[in-house]
């Protein structure tokens, strides 16, 4: 067993010096809070967000697929992956139409789930010369939870903040404790009117799925590792919190 401990430590040390990833695991699924804008419909939103599973997450707010009430929010399921080893999110591919700009794509079609700055970073086109009939990379961030906060929540919503919203109003709307939401988003001003936060979401059955135990161990450990290599080696020794039976496999 001592040999195996040493072997795992050496592997961890090697990874520390060769990999600078900010994420090491994904949680497969996340939700995006989409603010419905005037003239939009579910068919368009489903095409842009590359999904067909909207109805099951919005049973009470989507009575008609092609008649959505502007100003409401609907939850869109999407894949939560480790993008290029750098961040948790998903890279959508948007088909450009004549007249599209980074602003219209980010702020309208993707309802502020991404930013103009992110559009410019992940695309090489000039903001004023985006060619028609091409594809744009659109990044949307996600969260897999944090066992240091709670293991009761394993599905999270990427929630763009809008003017007039506050921590209190959002907590009341989603019926969750303000302190819990703030702990999942440390240092974020919920009243800033822009940017986004991550809040727990419900599954199609209306329940909060718990954080998967094995994922929580790794994500909590990685969260505590820090960016310094040596502190990462020491901090990530918590990976041996995995039971002896798991180590023996």
């Amino acid at each position: 067993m001592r040999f195996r401990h040493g072997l795992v430590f050496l592997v961890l040390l090697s990874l520390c010096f060769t990999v600078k990833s900010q994420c090491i695991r994904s949680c497969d699924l996340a939700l995006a809070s989409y603010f419905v804008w005037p003239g939009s419909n579910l068919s368009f939103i489903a095409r842009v967000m590359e999904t067909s599973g909207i109805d099951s997450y919005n049973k009470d707010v989507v009575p008609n697929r092609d008649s959505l009430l502007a100003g409401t929010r609907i939850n869109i399921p999407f894949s939560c992956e480790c993008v290029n080893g750098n961040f948790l999110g998903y890279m959508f591919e948007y088909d450009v139409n004549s007249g599209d700009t980074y602003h219209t794509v980010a702020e309208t079609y993707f309802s502020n789930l991404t930013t103009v700055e992110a559009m410019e970073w992940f695309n090489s086109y000039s903001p004023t010369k985006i060619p028609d009939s091409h594809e744009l990379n659109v990044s949307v961030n996600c969260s897999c939870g944090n066992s240091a906060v709670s293991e009761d929540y394993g599905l999270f919503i990427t929630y763009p903040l809008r003017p007039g919203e506050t921590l209190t109003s959002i907590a009341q709307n989603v019926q969750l404790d303000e302190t819990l939401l703030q702990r999942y988003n440390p240092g974020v001003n919920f009243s800033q009117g822009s940017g986004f936060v991550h809040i727990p979401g419900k599954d199609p059955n209306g329940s909060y799925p718990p954080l998967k135990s094995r994922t929580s161990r790794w994500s909590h450990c990685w969260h505590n590792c820090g960016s310094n290599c040596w502190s990462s080696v020491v901090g990530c020794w918590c990976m041996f919190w995995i039971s002896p039976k798991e180590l023996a496999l």
Side-chain angles (χ1 to χ4, degrees), residues 12 24 147 215-226 232 234-241:
L12 177 60
I24 55 175
S147 63
T215 300
S216 68
R217 292 176 183 179
W218 280 85
S219 62
H220 177 55
C221 176
W222 187 257
H223 177 76
N224 289 331
C225 280
S232 296
V234 176
C236 281
W237 192 248
C238 67
M239 286 180 181
F240 294 116
W241 179 37

Side-chain angles (χ1 to χ4, degrees), residues 19-207:
V19 180
K20 296 182 179 180
S21 300
Q22 298 302 309
C23 55
I24 55 175
R25 296 194 65 174
S26 66
C27 49
D28 300 327
L29 181 68
L31 299 174
S33 180
Y34 192 101
F35 188 83
V36 177
W37 42 276
S40 60
N41 58 64
L42 205 58
S43 298
F44 174 84
I45 296 172
R47 177 169 58 83
V48 169
M49 298 298 295
E50 302 176 14
T51 185
S52 60
I54 298 177
D55 299 59
S56 60
Y57 287 91
N58 301 276
K59 296 176 181 178
D60 298 329
V61 295
V62 186
N64 188 320
R65 290 186 58 86
D66 292 310
S67 180
L68 296 176
L69 182 63
T72 59
R73 286 179 180 266
I74 58 176
N75 288 328
I76 314 294
F78 71 103
S79 298
C80 185
E81 305 172 349
C82 188
V83 180
N84 298 328
N86 293 319
F87 65 93
L88 284 171
Y90 186 75
M91 193 69 71
F92 293 89
E93 295 181 346
Y94 172 78
D95 294 323
V96 177
N97 295 306
S98 179
D100 283 342
T101 66
Y102 289 149
H103 281 276
T104 57
V105 173
E107 297 172 2
T108 301
Y109 301 150
F110 278 83
S111 194
N112 290 305
L113 287 163
T114 190
T115 64
V116 173
E117 291 75 18
M119 296 286 296
E120 294 176 343
W121 177 265
F122 288 109
N123 296 278
S124 59
Y125 305 123
S126 166
T128 58
K129 295 181 180 179
I130 301 176
D132 296 344
S133 301
H134 282 64
E135 290 183 342
L136 291 177
N137 296 315
V138 182
S139 63
V140 175
N141 291 70
C142 60
S143 172
C144 291
N146 186 344
S147 63
V149 176
S150 175
E151 295 195 3
D152 294 334
Y153 304 99
L155 176 63
F156 282 80
I157 304 170
T158 299
Y159 187 102
L161 298 169
R162 298 187 65 84
E165 290 183 314
T166 64
L167 174 59
T168 299
S169 67
I170 294 173
Q172 290 176 346
N173 287 337
V174 299
Q175 298 181 337
L176 288 171
D177 184 72
E178 292 182 25
T179 302
L180 178 72
L181 298 187
Q182 191 69 78
R183 289 188 67 197
Y184 275 120
N185 302 275
V188 175
N189 179 5
F190 280 68
S191 303
Q192 63 192 12
S194 61
F196 58 85
V197 292
H198 297 296
I199 62 177
K202 295 181 179 180
D203 61 20
N205 296 320
S207 301

